[in-house]
């Protein structure tokens, strides 16, 4: 079962949630697993025309979810909290500034749209 352990509210209106999905895998050793997620809305101002917006929403829906999994293996029970906090601090120092950029939501949505379109093209061949 995963539990939300941290919530980052960013200035560009995104919310980044960090879920803990840590589990024991052998005796006193654990896999510390963090699942990082953020819902990014497919907004009208990302597109040049209402038709392009409708096309994007047809392929992606009303929002796109960013997901990233960060893991650390072989952590003794007594060190789980420390490992979790170090992993969150590392993510916050390296990735959050990028997430917080004003243009990140638009760039992410357009990137996901390109991936879906390319995947559809490959499967049509």
């Amino acid at each position: 079962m995963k539990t939300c352990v941290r919530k980052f509210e960013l200035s560009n209106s995104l919310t980044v949630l960090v879920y803990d999905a840590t589990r024991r895998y052998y005796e006193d050793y654990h896999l510390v697993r963090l699942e990082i997620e953020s819902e990014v809305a497919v907004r009208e101002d990302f597109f040049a025309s209402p038709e392009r917006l409708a096309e994007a929403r047809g392929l992606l829906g009303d929002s796109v979810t960013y997901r990233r999994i960060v893991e650390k293996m072989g952590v003794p029970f007594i060190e789980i909290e420390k490992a979790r906090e170090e992993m969150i601090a590392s993510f916050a120092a390296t990735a959050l500034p990028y997430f917080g950029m004003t243009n990140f939501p638009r760039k992410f949505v357009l990137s996901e749209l390109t991936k879906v379109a390319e995947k559809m093209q490959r499967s049509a061949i």
Side-chain angles (χ1 to χ4, degrees):
M1 180 174 90
K2 59 184 197 177
T3 305
C4 185
V5 293
R6 193 72 45 92
K7 181 178 183 178
F8 296 98
E9 298 281 347
L10 305 179
S11 61
N12 62 1
S13 78
L14 289 182
T15 300
V16 178
L17 301 172
V18 180
Y19 295 96
D20 183 12
T22 297
R23 64 178 178 83
R24 185 175 74 87
Y25 68 88
Y26 180 74
E27 293 184 4
D28 186 39
Y29 295 102
H30 295 75
L31 170 67
V32 178
R33 178 184 174 112
L34 300 179
E35 298 177 11
I36 301 162
E37 298 180 359
S38 182
E39 285 288 320
V40 181
V42 177
R43 297 189 338 224
E44 185 176 353
D45 59 316
F46 294 169
F47 302 96
S49 68
E51 294 80 20
R52 188 74 174 120
L53 171 65
E55 180 185 330
R57 285 192 173 154
L59 293 172
L60 299 174
D62 291 334
S63 66
V64 183
T65 303
Y66 170 88
R67 283 191 179 88
R68 180 173 174 195
I69 295 174
V70 182
E71 295 178 328
K72 185 171 184 179
M73 217 164 174
V75 179
F77 178 80
I78 198 162
E79 294 177 19
I80 290 174
E81 185 65 31
K82 179 183 173 195
R84 181 185 308 120
E85 290 305 314
E86 287 173 354
M87 293 163 66
I88 292 171
S90 175
F91 175 79
T94 59
L96 275 185
Y98 178 68
F99 273 85
M101 294 173 66
T102 307
N103 63 348
F104 174 80
R106 181 179 184 276
K107 289 172 84 173
F108 179 70
V109 168
L110 295 179
S111 172
E112 291 300 301
L113 184 59
T114 300
K115 288 178 192 175
V116 169
E118 288 174 355
K119 187 176 181 179
M120 288 178 63
Q121 236 177 0
R122 282 193 305 269
S123 66
I125 296 175

